Amino acid sequence: MESFFDTSAIVPLLVRESHSKAALGIWQETKVFWAWSWLKVETEAALIRRKAPSASWREWRTMERQIRWLEQPADFSIQVCQFNRLIGLRAAD
């Protein structure tokens, strides 16, 4: 299985949350991991805010090496903003 991960799926793998068990199940079933490169910034920010222990940081470094990182084209955010003016996504969407 291939899976695309966002921060809401990665952070529960690193710190205990209500969705940690579900996230772990998906991670374990996945053979190819995908994520936007911005996930690195968001995940580290979450670990800092939660004062994650060193074990969580080590696990993150291991996971980070398994992910195939995608970059957004330079004009992508302009297109997303134009699209979003019609529907009003929330940050969590």
Side-chain angles (χ1 to χ4, degrees):
M1 174 168 76
E2 294 188 29
S3 299
F4 183 89
F5 286 83
D6 66 5
T7 311
S8 66
I10 292 291
V11 172
L13 296 169
L14 302 168
V15 295
R16 176 91 45 208
E17 290 188 353
S18 60
H19 295 84
S20 292
K21 186 176 180 180
L24 181 60
I26 293 168
W27 183 268
Q28 290 173 335
E29 291 178 23
T30 299
K31 302 291 184 230
V32 180
F33 307 87
W34 296 93
W36 293 115
S37 60
W38 189 253
L39 174 83
K40 294 177 186 185
V41 175
E42 292 176 336
T43 298
E44 292 193 8
L47 293 175
I48 291 166
R49 279 193 317 274
R50 294 165 187 205
K51 297 177 177 42
S54 58
S56 294
W57 284 93
R58 282 192 302 276
E59 183 64 24
W60 166 235
R61 295 294 175 231
T62 299
M63 292 169 66
E64 184 179 20
R65 289 189 296 273
Q66 297 176 61
I67 296 172
R68 295 182 184 186
W69 297 103
L70 301 169
E71 297 292 331
Q72 296 176 349
D75 66 342
F76 182 74
S77 62
I78 294 169
Q79 295 169 8
V80 172
C81 287
Q82 290 171 340
F83 175 74
N84 189 43
R85 289 180 189 127
L86 302 172
I87 59 175
L89 292 173
R90 297 171 297 134
D93 291 336

